[in-house]
Amino acid sequence: MRSFLLAFSLFASSLVAAAAAAQPATAASDERLQALERRVQELESRLAAPVPAPPAAVAASPPAVTGQSLDLREPPFGEFDYAWTNGNNPQPASLLGLGPVTFSLYVDTYFAWQLHQPADHTIFPTTTAPRHNEISLNLAHVGLELGGLNGPIGRLYLQYGSIVETIAGQDTTTTRGFFLTNRLLQYVQQAAVGWHFHALHGINLELGIFQSYLGLESYLPEENWAYTHAFMSDATPYYFFGVRTQIFPTQRFKIELWLVNGWQTFGQWHEARAGGYLWNWRPREWISLINSAYFGQEVQSDPGALRFYSDNNLQIRYYKGHTKHLRSLAFSLVGDFGWEHRETAPSGFIGGITLTHHIDFTTLWKSTLRGDVFYDQTQAISPKFPVGSAYPWPGSGAFLAGGFT
């Protein structure tokens, strides 16, 4: 009996141990099963839910056009702001644009007073504001420029005012032969057609009447630091009539080549063409260097005459302000020299220096101090009395002028 009870106890203990060993395995299986059921329910709920609309595409910046020409990707002198330079238009882009055409309207009136009070009210020598004690019109023009057509370029500016007489009206080559007169062309400030080539940083080829920057200053007084011109600037051309090629090898360097009729003339006295070059280097925003040269036969009665003239200028903006009362301080130094060879008269030296300091207070208020001296040994390019003047020109020696403005 005692043996039977012992055997029954051992059997019961074995069953309890087996049940205890099986319990953890069963619990683990239940947990895995429950996790699997939850996963299936989650997947079913996702499949049953409505598919959301794809998010709106975020506007991204357009990729760079690798096929665009270099002159469009990096336009000449477009890297910096050169509005501070002398002889440059400081205004923002024109509002008078219509597609590829940009229009221009310019009106310049003045009242001038000369201390010695000329009896006939003629202020001399000057090309700007030439009338004393009178309210007068210096220059008015209307014009248009054509560009952005992937090739064709052109411009046409018509002008009126006293500056027409002081510059274009003094051209005497129009008296050679017929069908070329001052009244025909003096009211045309610029008239040129040409083509723009997408090579290097741009190449322009133009034929017609175009502005010249010998002597640095611009034809338009508003674009210069001072309203009146320096003696040296008034003695050098403001326009040429011929062919001009502009080459931009880099974004900061320009070369111009000219083949023209003469020294600020519509016609020419001799059969040979005149010509020259100009280069302008602007390595930084605060500096500009220019060198130009001209060669031509300019004396009516001397077919063996030859004029050489070189214009050189340096402009530096040495202070750029960050206040509303002082924007910038800059100066320009112009040094010119030349020689006119004559066969029927003495040859002579031409030269001069202009130093100008400019203070740019605001967009409306500016101040300029200029000192200049100009020497012309044989009066080759120095100002003369107006064409048709009743007064005799005094003397035939060297011309020397200077002053402060």
Side-chain angles (χ1 to χ4, degrees):
M1 182 68 182
R2 195 176 286 180
S3 300
F4 173 78
L5 291 175
L6 178 61
F8 180 79
S9 297
L10 292 174
F11 178 74
S13 299
S14 299
L15 289 179
V16 172
Q23 187 174 358
T26 305
S29 299
D30 291 342
E31 290 178 359
R32 287 196 297 269
L33 181 60
Q34 292 175 1
L36 183 60
E37 289 177 349
R38 288 195 300 269
R39 181 63 177 165
V40 171
Q41 291 176 357
E42 182 180 351
L43 292 176
E44 289 177 347
S45 62
R46 288 185 181 182
L47 292 175
V51 179
V58 179
S61 57
V65 182
T66 56
Q68 198 175 41
S69 59
L70 185 61
D71 60 320
L72 297 179
R73 299 198 310 268
E74 301 177 1
F77 299 142
E79 188 177 4
F80 303 116
D81 181 10
Y82 295 104
W84 63 270
T85 55
N86 195 3
N88 189 69
N89 186 359
Q91 296 177 333
S94 175
L95 299 177
L96 303 177
L98 183 62
V101 179
T102 301
F103 297 91
S104 174
L105 176 64
Y106 182 92
V107 179
D108 173 17
T109 61
Y110 71 95
F111 175 84
W113 179 275
Q114 195 168 43
L115 293 179
H116 68 74
Q117 302 182 34
D120 65 353
H121 284 199
T122 301
I123 299 177
F124 180 84
T126 184
T127 59
T128 304
R131 298 294 296 173
H132 162 73
N133 195 24
E134 295 175 359
I135 299 174
S136 187
L137 175 66
N138 187 53
L139 176 65
H141 82 216
V142 291
L144 60 87
E145 294 200 27
L146 179 68
L149 292 179
N150 198 29
I153 56 176
R155 69 184 63 84
L156 176 62
Y157 286 79
L158 303 179
Q159 63 179 353
Y160 195 80
S162 58
I163 200 172
V164 174
E165 287 292 332
T166 61
I167 297 180
Q170 304 307 303
D171 178 14
T172 56
T173 63
T174 56
T175 62
R176 185 188 184 192
F178 300 94
F179 313 122
L180 181 65
T181 61
N182 288 91
R183 69 176 183 271
L184 175 67
L185 291 174
Q186 69 179 10
Y187 299 109
V188 179
Q189 182 186 120
Q190 296 185 68
V193 294
W195 197 268
H196 175 79
F197 299 90
H198 296 291
L200 302 176
H201 281 261
I203 297 177
N204 298 323
L205 178 62
E206 296 177 303
L207 173 65
I209 302 173
F210 53 89
Q211 290 186 344
S212 160
Y213 286 90
L214 282 177
L216 176 64
E217 294 183 348
S218 170
Y219 181 88
L220 301 179
E222 182 269 338
E223 295 182 349
N224 300 318
W225 286 353
Y227 181 73
T228 58
H229 296 292
F231 288 109
M232 197 160 51
S233 184
D234 269 349
T236 52
Y238 286 110
Y239 69 87
F240 286 133
F241 198 165
V243 180
R244 175 175 67 175
T245 301
Q246 295 177 314
I247 305 171
F248 298 89
T250 72
Q251 194 176 13
R252 304 178 183 182
F253 190 77
K254 176 181 74 168
I255 301 173
E256 285 192 8
L257 303 175
W258 317 315
L259 184 63
V260 298
N261 288 340
W263 180 273
Q264 193 171 268
T265 62
F266 295 122
Q268 60 187 62
W269 288 122
H270 306 289
E271 303 311 310
R273 292 285 182 273
Y277 72 86
L278 176 148
W279 61 259
N280 183 196
W281 183 37
R282 301 176 179 180
R284 296 291 185 271
E285 184 178 9
W286 52 270
I287 185 171
S288 173
L289 298 97
I290 297 178
N291 165 254
S292 60
Y294 175 92
F295 305 85
Q297 294 178 294
E298 308 302 331
V299 183
Q300 177 182 1
S301 57
D302 191 347
L306 179 63
R307 179 179 301 168
F308 162 74
Y309 193 87
S310 176
D311 173 58
N312 312 273
N313 69 75
L314 166 68
Q315 299 186 73
I316 292 179
R317 186 191 63 195
Y318 64 90
Y319 174 77
K320 182 178 181 181
H322 300 283
T323 67
K324 62 180 181 179
H325 299 299
L326 182 59
R327 300 176 64 197
S328 67
L329 300 172
F331 74 87
S332 70
L333 176 63
V334 183
D336 288 9
F337 63 90
W339 181 268
E340 181 149 88
H341 170 75
R342 296 289 304 275
E343 290 189 349
T344 61
S347 304
F349 171 78
I350 312 166
I353 296 176
T354 300
L355 178 61
T356 309
H357 186 268
H358 184 65
I359 305 175
D360 191 342
F361 295 105
T362 67
T363 56
L364 298 178
W365 296 98
K366 309 171 192 298
S367 178
T368 297
L369 176 64
R370 180 182 66 208
D372 63 312
V373 60
F374 175 68
Y375 177 75
D376 186 354
Q377 186 176 356
T378 60
Q379 298 187 22
I381 65 173
S382 55
K384 303 292 192 303
F385 283 154
V387 173
S389 170
Y391 309 116
W393 180 252
S396 58
F399 179 91
L400 176 65
F404 286 94
T405 302

